[in-house]
Amino acid sequence: MQKITPLKASRDRLLILDQRKLPLETIWVEANTAAQVAHSITEMHVRGAPAIGIAAAYGFYLEFWQAVQTGKKITPALAEKTKALLDRARPTAVNLMWATAQMREVTLAHLAANPDVNKNPLPLLLALYDKASEIHADDAERCLKMSEQAVQYIRHHIKKDKYRILTHCNTGALATGGIGTALGVIRLLHRESRVEHVFANETRPYLQGSRLTAWELTREKIPATLIVDSMAGWMMKRGEIDFVVVGADRITRRGDVANKIGTYAVSVLAKAHKLPFFVVAPRSTYDASIGSGEDIPIEERPATEVTQVQGITLAPKINVRNYSFDVTPRENITALFFEDGVLV
Ligand code: MRU
């Protein structure tokens, strides 16, 4: 089976799998500049915290590649401008700024050491491409390690042969550079024949659960059932869920977690039903500059995502609130799994 990858990079372009069209169509969008990559991130052709960080890293590289092709001067200001442009694409997932900060550092260090960079820009382009590729490959490794951390903990703490797992949003290969975060855990448990069943919340309004997670799960023949978000509590009440596992878009110093809208509600339900609630994320999602969840910028997205389905308007003219993320407080989280450890 072909590996799922949301991004295909080469020296002069980034191909982005248009996730808005999945699972019905497989369409690749081409980006050649940082502005085009930023547009794809805003429009959610590519989405998921680690994946948008990786896309932004390639977008940063492409801006410098373009500058060289068009004879534009390479300066520290170009690095700052490119980073700002990409960072504006989506505000909540910190992986985006984490990746562009590294690209900026590579550029600034190179410029400081090579004042004649405009005469010979090739080494800078190679360094930037290598850095973006490293961020990409590195995420695959992190996915595997954090998933192993979680599997080890779950096997030790939840004494069952097979698990019934609830997940929210899409945290799989489409959202990362590897097997995924929460979905990575599910993949590893499935490889060990320890998944009895996965329940995937459809994840209104963008439907990452029904379009993307359902696609990843069924492709790999992992036993799964799609449910509407509002059914999660009833499933728990009926005793049909053993634990919840989700990903994250930003984690604060105190361990509050921003993730897809609806995650907070699931965490409250899990707590009410005394079920473990796990978060799985790479360190690139951890924001040491933010103390508590209240300070995380929460993206609000267009009203049409709520009022329309596939371009068909289903609601009358009415005000809409469309927060794309919410924050789950540390108190509602049983354990957080990173590639380098577990926070309980
Ligand atoms: O709006 P999205 O689809 O980018 O939101 C994605 C999520 O909230 C995921 O759960 C999160 O990025 C963790 S995935 C590795």
Side-chain angles (χ1 to χ4, degrees):
M1 196 194 322
Q2 225 190 341
K3 227 176 92 195
I4 298 171
T5 173
L7 302 165
K8 288 184 198 165
S10 58
R11 299 277 174 195
D12 60 348
R13 66 180 189 180
L14 180 66
L15 290 179
I16 299 169
L17 179 58
D18 188 348
Q19 297 192 30
R20 297 169 317 168
K21 300 281 194 301
L22 286 175
L24 301 179
E25 290 176 272
T26 306
I27 291 174
W28 292 87
V29 177
E30 180 172 335
N32 309 100
T33 63
Q36 287 169 359
V37 173
H39 174 76
S40 273
I41 293 172
T42 304
E43 292 300 314
M44 291 172 73
H45 302 150
V46 58
R47 32 69 49 203
I52 64 176
I54 297 163
Y58 285 121
F60 192 105
Y61 156 76
L62 284 172
E63 194 64 15
F64 280 74
W65 184 85
Q66 279 292 341
V68 171
Q69 302 308 305
T70 56
K72 197 166 153 188
K73 211 157 180 247
I74 291 174
T75 59
L78 181 63
E80 299 300 344
K81 208 175 125 200
T82 306
K83 177 169 168 38
L85 168 73
L86 288 158
D87 289 356
R88 277 198 302 274
R90 288 192 82 189
T92 303
V94 75
N95 311 60
L96 173 53
M97 301 87 192
W98 171 87
T100 55
Q102 289 180 71
M103 298 303 285
R104 177 182 58 189
E105 284 333 300
V106 167
T107 311
L108 297 183
H110 190 93
L111 294 189
N114 302 278
D116 61 346
V117 67
N118 284 290
K119 282 191 204 128
N120 180 20
L122 195 62
L124 172 62
L125 292 185
L126 291 175
L128 286 174
Y129 189 80
D130 284 355
K131 189 68 195 177
S133 307
E134 182 193 308
I135 288 172
H136 195 171
D138 186 52
D139 190 62
E141 225 165 274
R142 289 169 193 253
C143 282
L144 198 59
K145 286 190 182 146
M146 69 184 96
S147 300
E148 283 167 355
Q149 297 273 4
V151 166
Q152 225 178 346
Y153 179 98
I154 290 164
R155 275 202 314 234
H156 191 252
H157 286 87
I158 307 179
K159 301 283 182 206
K160 288 189 80 180
D161 287 342
K162 288 179 182 250
Y163 305 110
R164 297 160 309 164
I165 307 164
L166 176 71
T167 191
H168 190 72
C169 197
N170 172 266
T171 61
L174 289 168
T176 65
I179 58 171
T181 58
L183 212 50
V185 177
I186 290 169
R187 280 195 163 93
L188 289 196
L189 286 171
H190 177 65
R191 278 182 208 164
E192 296 179 0
S193 303
R194 295 185 74 119
V195 172
E196 182 175 326
H197 213 83
V198 179
F199 294 94
N201 270 354
E202 65 170 354
T203 317
R204 279 281 295 154
Y206 191 77
L207 302 175
Q208 288 94 333
S210 56
R211 294 187 305 103
L212 310 177
T213 301
W215 183 65
E216 289 201 41
L217 289 168
T218 50
R219 234 176 142 258
E220 291 181 31
K221 303 197 174 12
I222 300 176
T225 294
L226 182 64
I227 61 171
V228 297
D229 300 344
S230 49
M231 212 169 100
W234 185 236
M235 297 294 292
M236 292 178 187
K237 172 86 179 145
R238 288 172 54 92
E240 295 193 42
I241 307 288
D242 294 316
F243 66 84
V244 180
V245 63
V246 296
D249 288 83
R250 198 183 291 231
I251 301 173
T252 68
R253 284 199 304 277
R254 80 177 290 278
D256 299 332
V257 169
N259 193 50
K260 181 49 50 195
I261 193 74
T263 305
Y264 168 69
V266 178
S267 80
V268 173
L269 288 168
K271 201 171 187 180
H273 294 88
K274 299 191 171 39
L275 291 173
F277 183 93
F278 300 127
V279 174
V280 190
R283 281 285 170 193
S284 50
T285 307
Y286 179 74
D287 186 353
S289 75
I290 287 189
S292 97
E294 281 156 36
D295 299 324
I296 299 175
I298 299 294
E299 177 183 14
E300 288 195 60
R301 293 196 54 88
T304 47
E305 286 183 357
V306 179
T307 57
Q308 298 183 350
V309 173
Q310 304 278 30
I312 299 169
T313 303
L314 300 177
K317 229 178 165 3
I318 187 170
N319 292 330
V320 170
R321 218 60 203 264
N322 187 16
Y323 286 120
S324 196
F325 299 93
D326 56 30
V327 178
T328 297
R330 178 67 182 93
E331 306 77 79
N332 289 9
I333 301 169
T334 312
L336 291 112
F337 303 103
F338 297 100
E339 62 274 32
D340 58 351
V342 182
L343 199 64
V344 285

